[in-house]
Amino acid sequence: MRKLYVKQKLLSMKDRFYIKDAFGNDVYYAEEKLMSFSKRFFLYDIQGNQVAEVVQKLRSWSTAFFLRTTDGQELLIQKKMMSFKPKYEVVGSDITMEGNWTSKFKVLKNGHQIGSVNKQWLKMADSYEIDCLNRSDEHLLVAFSLALDYVESASATTGDV
């Protein structure tokens, strides 16, 4: 299992932040496109190769994001509205995300856990710890954390549940 950490900087003019491993080494970085109608993030490996794009779906009943990977995969991450616990489905795949009230999410593929995304509380900036069981799913889990962070932040400011 590999642990990754996402920590966004407060008050940065360009929303660029690094994803680090347990030893503090940069593994990925994400950039937010600031001048866009929808929220849009680009995820790069440390060599500068784009591995995914996360784009907010504008016309949707619930908060939703498209996840596009460089291997041509396009998924829709969508918050389930009528669920007691925070739950997201990933349309176009056999992946689901189930959370609890402390923003700890299990990521399941075919009902088996492939990793988790946990919000770190009591930090100055938004921080997430990602546990990845399989390296081939790493970029998906990091992209999920970017979408989750935006959804959770938007819910906190608007009062949505």
Side-chain angles (χ1 to χ4, degrees):
M1 176 170 54
R2 181 163 147 156
K3 285 193 181 288
L4 299 175
Y5 299 91
V6 178
K7 183 176 181 181
Q8 293 190 35
K9 292 182 180 178
L10 294 173
L11 305 175
S12 68
M13 289 300 286
K14 184 175 186 184
D15 215 352
R16 181 183 210 177
F17 44 94
Y18 289 86
I19 294 83
K20 298 181 179 288
D21 65 12
F23 304 105
N25 301 313
D26 295 338
V27 181
Y28 297 97
Y29 66 92
E31 287 185 346
E32 178 185 356
K33 185 170 182 179
L34 296 176
M35 302 302 284
S36 177
F37 287 109
S38 62
K39 198 73 160 174
R40 182 179 296 241
F41 293 97
F42 298 95
L43 181 63
Y44 301 91
D45 64 19
I46 204 59
Q47 290 80 29
N49 302 309
Q50 184 179 332
V51 294
E53 177 183 10
V54 180
V55 181
Q56 180 185 14
K57 182 179 178 186
L58 287 177
R59 296 179 187 207
S60 176
W61 289 101
S62 66
T63 306
F65 279 84
F66 289 106
L67 168 59
R68 298 180 183 114
T69 61
T70 53
D71 62 4
Q73 193 175 24
E74 181 170 293
L75 307 172
L76 177 65
I77 303 167
Q78 185 168 278
K79 187 172 186 176
K80 286 195 168 190
M81 298 297 286
M82 303 306 252
S83 179
F84 179 68
K85 295 181 187 178
K87 192 171 190 175
Y88 294 82
E89 66 179 330
V90 184
V91 180
S93 77
D94 47 7
I95 299 173
T96 59
M97 293 184 294
E98 298 175 355
N100 63 21
W101 62 275
T102 62
S103 297
K104 292 186 178 194
F105 290 87
K106 284 194 263 184
V107 182
L108 308 167
K109 187 181 220 177
N110 289 324
H112 300 288
Q113 188 169 350
I114 61 169
S116 63
V117 177
N118 302 315
K119 183 167 186 166
Q120 302 292 293
W121 295 97
L122 305 174
K123 302 278 184 177
M124 289 298 291
D126 288 341
S127 300
Y128 289 84
E129 179 182 87
I130 301 166
D131 290 322
C132 186
L133 299 176
N134 186 348
R135 276 219 141 134
S136 64
D137 297 320
E138 238 179 40
H139 66 289
L140 292 175
L141 292 167
V142 173
F144 291 156
S145 73
L146 299 177
L148 282 172
D149 180 53
Y150 179 74
V151 171
E152 297 292 307
S153 297
S155 295
T157 58
T158 62
D160 292 343
V161 179

